[in-house]
Amino acid sequence: MAQEITLKDRYGYMLWMRHFELACLEGVPTREIHGELHTGVGQEAISAGMVGFLSKEDAMCSTHRNHMHAIAKGVDLRAMLAEIFEKSTGICGGFGGHMHIFDPSLKFSATGIVGAGVPVALGHAYAARLKGNQAVAVAVVGDGAVNTGAFHEAMNMAGALSLPLVVVVENNEWAISVPFSASSATETIAERAPSWRAHGIRVNGLDVEEVANAFEAALARARSGKGPSIIEAMCYRFRGHFEGDADMYRSKEEKERRRSEDPLERTKETLVARGLATLEELNEIEKSVVASISEMLASVRKDPSPSGADATRYVFAE
Amino acid sequence: MARNLNLSQCISEALHLEMERDPQVLVIGEDVGGQGGVFGATRGLQKKYGSGRVLDTPISESAITGMGVGLALEGYRPVLEIMFVDFIGVCLDQVYNAIAKNHYMSGGKVRMPIVIKTAGGCIGSGAQHSQCLWGLFAHLPGLKVVAPSNPYDAKGLMASAVESDDPVVFIEHKGLLLKRAEDFTFGSDVPAERYTVPIGKANVVREGSDLTLVTLSGTVAPSVTAAEEALKKGISVEVIDLRSVVPLDMDTVAASVKKTGKILVVDEDYLSFGLSAEVVTRLLERKISITSVKRLAVPDVPIPGALSLEQEVVPNERSISAAIAETVGKA
């Protein structure tokens, strides 16, 4: 399946991811979106690198910064945008909000609790073992999550049982205001993997091909029964931890320098340099993505809010 | 005629029948497999259903409860054992942020048919191995909370818990688990075949006309004994076993208090912000005329280590008798 996804396709996904996030940003100052919105602008190459490898049977457990992961898994964009914009047409009817996207038909779920998605992915991985199928469970986390007890517990059990679990760590180097270098006993996350009988690799998370290759290898390892993997993808969060974050903990110089290393620009340059596309062609693709999302946003904005009378529904199934 | 088995065997019998009936039922936890549970409530399951469906885990409660979420999302019905309810602190996140909320947060799209099977209650084990905590779970929306008082209910309620599409916290009382069925004065006859006891329906264990005594789990038996003693002094006590804290069967309680006008809640959990205040407040909201109210619960102290101290704070036959006399004005 992976062979069908070209670099140009991945660039297209990165455009969708970037402009989806930018569309979300529009709802913050207008107070259409409440609470702390987390966007992944700058981290697109990691999600785009995961596109095309997963089937419906494979699970993905995501985080508070989940939109791009959901796009990679194939979650319906409009339903997700409507959820984020607090509409009754949202993928969870407005009951979840932007941190809690659930699509059981694709085995996609997200949690707002840092690190809590990894044990859930462990459950999916154990289900694959019980069913005896080739399914893999993918947990995507940030670097902050790797220091939680839940992360260790799940990794240890996955290693002990040799379960098909692939953990993709988006290491953007900052857990809100605390740098990774100040919070980890190890220099990298990848080097911790052997202690859980897992395979660990650190990749450049700005390089969509490097991510895709590592992801494909980790999935193959998992599907062949060789156990869990950790992919540590180095990246940089272009915006604050959430919309409204004053972000004084990172220097202006650092932010400017790191934002200039844009994974979209990088991919675009590679495509042109390799003669796989012309600049004009790529600009046209971007224009069409922007137009599609703009149209989607305009349409979502016309949708109704959930009815207050429904607020006490769904506490119990029975 | 009571069969020769203890309460933990009744629970294991229920789990056997559920696992036989539904291949999606799993049992996961510490010492649940080879050992069959530290109280024997999962005995024989791994031998019969294999180490896939009955999984011995490391001491990793966050992993246990988290994987329960993933397995539920995959269509399984996991029974997760948290050996002692006191240990819930290390994994409460998965319990109240995922298991309890996923159905709601998904707008009803995903179900969490999970049983959190755990042991509570005071047996002289000190502050970290003696709590009940049903009030804590009940405070968190999305969890059903069950605590049986006798072998018949334990088996039937476990069957209902496993069959439920909602998450159920199932709190077994440590003081009852190893007690023989024949030593119970109520609920001692346990059919060998499968049956269910509905979750959310209280049981009037003993009828009476002067006072309504509401309780559950380990304090039902001493309440019944205290009620028998009270009758000798001319006080007729109706004893209601709630069976579950969520749902709380206020219809049964209200019908009784309408008759007696007096309410005593006996609760082995902590006093403040808990079950006893909830029961009384709901009666008041129903505008039921009450002439006397008393709450007998652990007076907001950790459970002490020495038995002489524990007996001072945990409701027992003596303190229940005193509370009955006080509530009816015959202290």
Side-chain angles (χ1 to χ4, degrees):
Chain A
M1 187 172 14
Q3 289 78 359
E4 296 164 24
I5 309 285
T6 65
L7 184 60
K8 197 161 97 180
D9 294 335
R10 294 202 190 280
Y11 178 68
Y13 277 102
M14 291 168 86
L15 286 171
W16 276 98
M17 289 166 181
R18 171 70 56 90
H19 290 288
F20 185 91
E21 296 292 50
L22 296 181
C24 292
L25 294 181
E26 288 191 33
V28 177
T30 57
R31 296 180 186 273
E32 289 163 284
I33 299 173
H34 301 89
E36 63 282 29
L37 181 76
H38 311 96
T39 69
V41 176
Q43 305 184 180
E44 292 86 351
I46 300 167
S47 289
M50 293 192 280
V51 168
F53 296 110
L54 301 175
S55 79
K56 273 186 171 179
E57 289 310 306
D58 301 310
M60 186 184 278
C61 300
S62 176
T63 67
H64 55 289
R65 205 180 303 285
N66 58 51
H67 312 156
M68 303 195 305
H69 313 147
I71 295 172
K73 190 71 175 64
V75 173
D76 183 76
L77 262 64
R78 194 193 187 281
M80 182 159 64
L81 192 63
E83 186 66 31
I84 297 164
F85 273 78
E86 308 176 15
K87 302 298 189 183
S88 66
T89 51
I91 194 157
C92 300
F95 286 78
H98 73 91
M99 279 191 272
H100 314 110
I101 305 292
F102 288 85
D103 187 343
S105 68
L106 293 169
K107 296 191 182 174
F108 182 89
S109 66
T111 173
I113 307 299
V114 170
V118 191
V120 178
L122 176 75
H124 285 287
Y126 191 63
R129 167 68 48 85
L130 288 172
K131 292 174 184 177
N133 62 19
Q134 288 285 298
V136 173
V138 178
V140 191
V141 295
D143 51 286
V146 305
N147 299 319
T148 65
F151 185 88
H152 164 68
E153 288 189 15
M155 283 310 304
N156 176 63
M157 220 161 138
L161 299 176
S162 203
L163 293 176
L165 174 69
V166 175
V167 178
V168 177
V169 184
E170 297 180 315
N171 188 347
N172 64 28
E173 300 177 30
W174 291 88
I176 305 187
S177 69
V178 180
F180 179 72
S181 58
S183 45
S184 176
T186 55
E187 213 169 299
T188 71
I189 298 161
E191 74 194 76
R192 299 185 190 181
S195 66
W196 298 303
R197 221 192 284 164
H199 180 258
I201 184 172
R202 183 186 252 206
V203 299
N204 181 357
L206 306 179
D207 185 327
V208 68
E209 289 175 303
E210 208 176 313
V211 173
N213 290 338
F215 193 57
E216 188 173 29
L219 292 173
R221 180 183 150 85
R223 294 195 208 280
S224 65
K226 289 183 183 149
S229 295
I230 294 175
I231 298 169
E232 178 184 17
M234 302 306 294
C235 59
Y236 197 72
R237 135 164 86 65
F238 282 14
R239 303 188 63 86
H241 163 65
F242 70 102
E243 291 311 309
D245 182 356
D247 197 354
M248 304 293 276
Y249 42 84
R250 304 187 295 185
S251 73
K252 191 165 174 268
E253 182 278 324
E254 174 187 307
K255 282 186 271 193
E256 279 174 8
R257 178 170 50 81
R258 299 295 295 271
R259 281 177 191 147
S260 72
E261 300 164 8
D262 187 325
L264 274 75
E265 290 304 315
R266 181 193 178 100
T267 311
K268 195 152 104 175
E269 283 163 19
T270 305
L271 283 166
V272 174
R274 288 192 202 160
L276 297 169
T278 65
L279 206 53
E280 294 70 31
E281 197 183 338
L282 297 178
N283 288 341
E284 279 309 308
I285 295 175
E286 180 157 18
K287 262 188 213 163
S288 114
V289 169
V290 170
S292 299
I293 290 189
S294 169
E295 198 180 312
M296 187 189 291
L297 177 59
S299 155
V300 161
R301 279 178 152 153
K302 289 180 199 144
D303 287 352
S305 300
S307 161
D310 286 337
T312 54
R313 283 183 76 183
Y314 303 128
V315 178
F316 291 110
E318 294 166 348
Chain B
M1 177 67 188
R3 288 157 65 210
N4 181 24
L5 74 185
N6 64 30
L7 188 137
S8 83
Q9 282 171 293
C10 298
I11 290 170
S12 120
E13 203 167 84
L15 292 171
H16 271 279
L17 291 166
E18 294 313 298
M19 294 194 80
E20 188 170 44
R21 187 182 63 85
D22 184 350
Q24 302 305 106
V25 176
L26 311 172
V27 174
I28 294 170
E30 295 151 14
D31 306 297
V32 297
Q35 161 131 351
V38 293
F39 295 101
T42 55
R43 70 186 73 185
L45 292 172
Q46 194 181 61
K47 202 172 173 192
K48 189 159 178 200
Y49 298 103
S51 55
R53 288 181 69 194
V54 183
L55 178 68
D56 271 323
T57 66
I59 301 174
S60 300
E61 284 85 359
S62 289
I64 295 168
T65 46
M67 77 189 289
V69 174
L71 286 162
L73 290 169
E74 292 277 349
Y76 288 99
R77 293 183 173 272
V79 177
L80 310 173
E81 174 150 308
I82 301 299
M83 191 185 291
F84 282 44
V85 72
D86 313 72
F87 308 162
I88 207 71
V90 298
C91 62
L92 189 62
D93 172 57
Q94 293 290 350
V95 176
Y96 85 119
N97 271 322
I99 294 173
K101 293 177 185 163
N102 278 357
H103 181 262
Y104 187 86
M105 291 195 298
S106 69
K109 275 189 159 184
V110 306
R111 292 192 169 181
M112 290 284 116
I114 294 170
V115 179
I116 296 162
K117 174 187 172 306
T118 185
C122 302
I123 51 160
S125 300
Q128 297 177 339
H129 285 70
S130 295
Q131 298 170 97
C132 292
L133 299 184
W134 42 65
L136 170 75
F137 294 110
H139 186 68
L140 307 167
L143 299 168
K144 290 185 173 168
V145 184
V146 174
S149 70
N150 62 76
Y152 179 86
D153 284 1
K155 182 174 171 183
L157 286 167
M158 179 54 89
S160 293
V162 175
E163 177 179 81
S164 171
D165 279 341
D166 290 313
V168 178
V169 180
F170 193 96
I171 304 171
E172 302 154 354
H173 196 288
K174 295 191 288 289
L176 305 180
L177 276 165
L178 302 180
K179 198 172 156 182
R180 307 215 64 78
E182 62 196 16
D183 295 332
F184 284 82
T185 58
F186 51 96
S188 57
D189 287 335
V190 182
E193 63 271 21
R194 179 179 192 267
Y195 62 90
T196 57
V197 171
I199 294 173
K201 184 79 190 91
N203 180 28
V204 180
V205 182
R206 183 187 167 86
E207 291 187 0
S209 54
D210 296 331
L211 164 70
T212 301
L213 190 164
V214 171
T215 188
L216 80 168
S217 186
T219 45
V220 176
S223 293
V224 169
T225 311
E228 283 162 2
E229 289 302 308
L231 192 61
K232 292 177 188 164
K233 297 175 200 157
I235 307 166
S236 169
V237 180
E238 182 145 302
V239 179
I240 296 176
D241 175 2
L242 289 171
R243 287 177 170 150
S244 62
V245 180
V246 180
L248 189 55
D249 181 4
M250 284 310 296
D251 287 346
T252 299
V253 176
S256 175
V257 177
K258 268 183 193 162
K259 183 172 69 177
T260 64
K262 298 184 183 68
I263 172 86
L264 165 63
V265 184
V266 176
D267 185 7
E268 198 178 325
D269 199 357
Y270 303 120
L271 175 71
S272 296
F273 311 99
L275 173 64
S276 55
E278 191 63 37
V279 168
V280 173
T281 305
R282 290 197 193 186
L283 286 169
L284 294 172
E285 283 171 339
R286 288 184 179 217
K287 299 188 170 42
I288 289 166
S289 164
I290 303 173
T291 59
S292 185
V293 173
K294 181 149 182 72
R295 299 187 290 154
L296 179 66
V298 176
D300 300 333
V301 295
I303 307 300
L307 200 58
S308 60
L309 295 171
E310 183 190 290
Q311 284 167 346
E312 203 50 38
V313 300
V314 176
N316 54 32
E317 198 185 309
R318 181 182 49 80
S319 62
I320 295 169
S321 288
I324 289 172
E326 203 182 311
T327 319
V328 296
K330 292 187 179 176

